[in-house]
Amino acid sequence: MEAGIHNYSEIGKLKRVLLHRPGREIEALTPATMERLLFDDVPFLKAAQEEHDAFAKVLRDNGVEVIYYQEETAKALANKVIREEFVNEIMELSFIESEGMKQAIHNFLMSLSPLKMVEEIIAGIKREELGDIKTD
């Protein structure tokens, strides 16, 4: 049997759910991106996290296993070979033309723990986090 997600009912009991707790990526939202992302207003990180935590608690209180995809991704990235391939693929799929910038991002990401790497990729990397960047 093939592994994967199998849903056989729209009204059956929810057993497990994959969630993402809002993080620093919320702080990068602007009024210009809100509409495209279906937000009515710029959310406040603390309030978004409190609402998320309350939602996750309701799920747990009703017997649902809550799984956080950041943690699951970090588990997969614990393997250094997989982490290197992952970062290389991100660099390949990015629209960054500067080889110096690509190398700086690559070095920055590879210097982080797997969980911190996932957090940074989701939140977005700020130029000042990269240190010196060699120009092409």
Side-chain angles (χ1 to χ4, degrees), residues 30-41:
T30 64
T33 58
M34 287 184 336
E35 186 176 322
R36 184 173 54 100
L37 297 173
L38 304 177
F39 284 98
D40 294 329
D41 198 2

Side-chain angles (χ1 to χ4, degrees), residues 86-108:
F86 179 71
V87 172
N88 288 340
E89 190 164 336
I90 288 172
M91 293 296 94
E92 189 70 29
L93 295 172
S94 72
F95 294 103
I96 302 168
E97 294 181 15
S98 164
E99 288 303 318
M101 181 63 79
K102 282 183 182 179
Q103 190 61 49
I105 293 170
H106 178 275
N107 293 344
F108 173 73

Side-chain angles (χ1 to χ4, degrees), residues 32-102:
T33 58
M34 287 184 336
E35 186 176 322
R36 184 173 54 100
L37 297 173
L38 304 177
F39 284 98
D40 294 329
D41 198 2
V42 175
F44 293 101
L45 178 56
K46 184 174 182 192
Q49 288 176 332
E50 288 171 356
E51 289 175 11
H52 169 86
D53 293 344
F55 175 64
K57 182 180 182 327
V58 168
L59 290 169
R60 285 189 193 96
D61 289 349
N62 284 280
V64 177
E65 179 185 4
V66 174
I67 301 168
Y68 284 95
Y69 83 81
Q70 272 182 279
E71 294 167 6
E72 294 303 307
T73 303
K75 287 178 190 176
L77 296 176
N79 178 306
K80 188 164 174 111
V81 172
I82 292 173
R83 191 163 59 245
E84 180 79 34
E85 289 174 6
F86 179 71
V87 172
N88 288 340
E89 190 164 336
I90 288 172
M91 293 296 94
E92 189 70 29
L93 295 172
S94 72
F95 294 103
I96 302 168
E97 294 181 15
S98 164
E99 288 303 318
M101 181 63 79
K102 282 183 182 179

